[in-house]
Amino acid sequence: MRMARIKHRGGGCYYHLTNRTAGSEKDRPFGKVEKKKFENQVHSLSTLYSLQVVTLCVMCNHFHLTLFVPGEPPSRKEAARRYNKFYKDRHPITADSPIAAELAPRLNDISHFMHDLQQRFTVWFNKSRPIRRRGALWAGRFKSVILQRGMTLWNAIKYIILNPVRAKMVNDPADYRFSDWGHWHESGRHPFESNFVTHVCRSLGHRADGWDAKRLQSELRTDLARTMAADADANAIQAACESGKKRPAPILRADRRNRCWSDGAIIGDRQFVHEVAGAVYGSDAIKKKRLGSGRLPDSGELLYSFRRLRKD
């Protein structure tokens, strides 16, 4: 039986969302046209939903999204405004409309957002094939991980940016066109610049006081270079340990797929993971819960995940 999805409200919450297409890992149905269409769908739906997209990366058979979910749904008035702006070909609604009352809580929900995104893209994908296809495109339910603000969010963004490097598609993540990082370097503007700067700077606190988009890009570029250098050293350590028949300590690697970022459910320091899980399941239920853990190779920071996962 599948576990219920963990959703946390409080004063707002950051999520890492991902899903993969059906088939084997060698099935790569997304080319340049499909990746661009998926990006456009995300941009379009972000005008309807109150969720705030922070970063996006579309790969050949999967995607990664980080976004912020506000603590409260939009008002009926705001829901009506968003509806009328998005559905320009429909009869406009007012704040007093039953549609606005029903719509408002949906616009703040990741499940409804992902359902619309994946369904809309699947319909377009199936119709656009040379031989019309039918049926599901995605392998299953999308995966969601709650991220602690601060360095956890920062490191999740780095993990997403480095996806094309990890897949050996490019040597420099700035050369990958279908990620926000690549767009930022190609065009000089982040596709979700306002959200990105606001949330990353807010998340980092006083450390990022006064940072603008240019400074943020510079700091992130420097840290990405540091992480890739640390990953290269981690590869050497791994090889040496295996050669000497020693088992290396668990490390949250950025140069290969690490399941904690997609399956860990909640990621942050120990207190954050317990607080969020306790709010969902009750504090007594998680007192003796054994958490997963790992260190980042570049900073040595210890992070915990709600789910303990076997090594990938």
Side-chain angles (χ1 to χ4, degrees):
M1 184 175 67
R2 67 184 186 181
M3 291 182 62
R5 194 178 302 283
I6 298 177
K7 295 181 181 178
H8 177 61
R9 296 305 182 191
C13 185
Y14 293 99
Y15 283 89
H16 171 215
L17 308 176
T18 184
N19 206 355
R20 180 175 298 275
T21 57
S24 70
E25 291 189 356
K26 293 183 179 180
D27 292 332
R28 295 169 180 170
F30 299 162
K32 295 179 180 179
V33 173
E34 290 77 16
K35 293 174 183 177
K36 184 62 178 177
K37 181 65 176 182
F38 190 89
E39 288 181 324
N40 291 342
Q41 293 277 20
V42 172
H43 281 269
S44 176
L45 283 172
S46 68
T47 65
L48 174 64
Y49 282 81
S50 61
L51 311 177
Q52 299 166 25
V53 177
V54 178
T55 193
L56 167 68
C57 181
V58 187
M59 301 292 285
C60 295
N61 61 358
H62 68 284
F63 65 87
H64 293 270
L65 262 171
T66 54
L67 49 77
F68 177 74
V69 180
E72 297 294 332
S75 65
R76 292 186 181 185
K77 182 178 180 180
E78 175 65 11
R81 185 192 70 79
R82 288 177 175 271
Y83 177 94
N84 294 333
K85 182 178 180 180
F86 186 78
Y87 295 109
K88 295 180 180 179
D89 57 340
R90 297 186 183 180
H91 186 73
I93 65 173
T94 66
D96 298 327
S97 167
I99 296 178
E102 180 182 354
L103 184 64
R106 293 170 59 97
L107 298 186
N108 198 43
D109 190 286
I110 58 170
S111 294
H112 289 294
F113 174 81
M114 291 295 284
H115 174 271
D116 278 355
L117 173 61
Q118 294 183 148
Q119 184 184 57
R120 286 170 175 269
F121 182 78
T122 299
V123 170
W124 171 85
F125 185 87
N126 287 352
K127 289 182 177 180
S128 66
R129 301 306 90 189
I131 299 177
R132 184 74 62 89
R133 77 181 291 275
R134 300 176 65 182
L137 173 63
W138 306 102
R141 293 204 310 166
F142 71 91
K143 297 178 180 180
S144 63
V145 176
I146 294 174
L147 302 170
Q148 185 178 14
R149 63 181 62 205
M151 292 309 296
T152 303
L153 175 64
W154 177 268
N155 284 304
I157 291 172
K158 288 200 301 177
Y159 171 80
I160 292 170
I161 290 174
L162 289 172
N163 255 253
V165 176
R166 187 173 64 249
K168 303 186 185 305
M169 300 173 72
V170 293
N171 293 322
D172 185 340
D175 294 332
Y176 188 68
R177 292 175 53 194
F178 303 100
S179 74
D180 291 338
W181 187 248
H183 280 297
W184 202 354
H185 284 78
E186 183 179 19
S187 67
R189 183 175 178 83
H190 193 288
F192 299 98
E193 184 170 304
S194 178
N195 290 346
F196 189 85
V197 174
T198 297
H199 288 292
V200 174
C201 288
R202 179 192 300 169
S203 179
L204 294 177
H206 294 303
R207 171 187 170 186
D209 282 350
W211 286 10
D212 57 8
K214 186 176 180 179
R215 173 66 185 278
L216 187 55
Q217 185 187 55
S218 175
E219 293 287 339
L220 187 50
R221 187 189 301 113
T222 300
D223 207 10
L224 286 167
R226 185 183 299 115
T227 297
M228 288 189 285
D231 288 338
D233 290 340
N235 282 330
I237 294 171
Q238 180 87 11
C241 288
E242 290 176 355
S243 176
K245 304 299 182 183
K246 295 179 181 179
R247 186 176 182 180
I251 296 176
L252 296 183
R253 302 282 294 280
D255 68 328
R256 67 178 183 184
R257 178 171 175 259
N258 190 290
R259 290 182 60 221
C260 93
W261 292 110
S262 58
D263 296 323
I266 308 167
I267 295 180
D269 59 33
R270 184 190 293 271
Q271 181 180 352
F272 175 80
V273 174
H274 275 284
E275 285 179 354
V276 175
V280 176
Y281 298 113
S283 57
D284 292 338
I286 54 91
K287 280 183 179 179
K288 296 182 179 179
K289 170 75 176 177
R290 294 182 64 189
L291 305 177
S293 64
R295 291 190 182 277
L296 295 167
D298 51 346
S299 65
E301 180 185 3
L302 180 62
L303 291 179
Y304 292 87
S305 63
F306 179 68
R307 294 176 183 154
R308 296 181 72 240
L309 306 168
R310 65 176 175 79
K311 280 196 170 182
D312 204 12

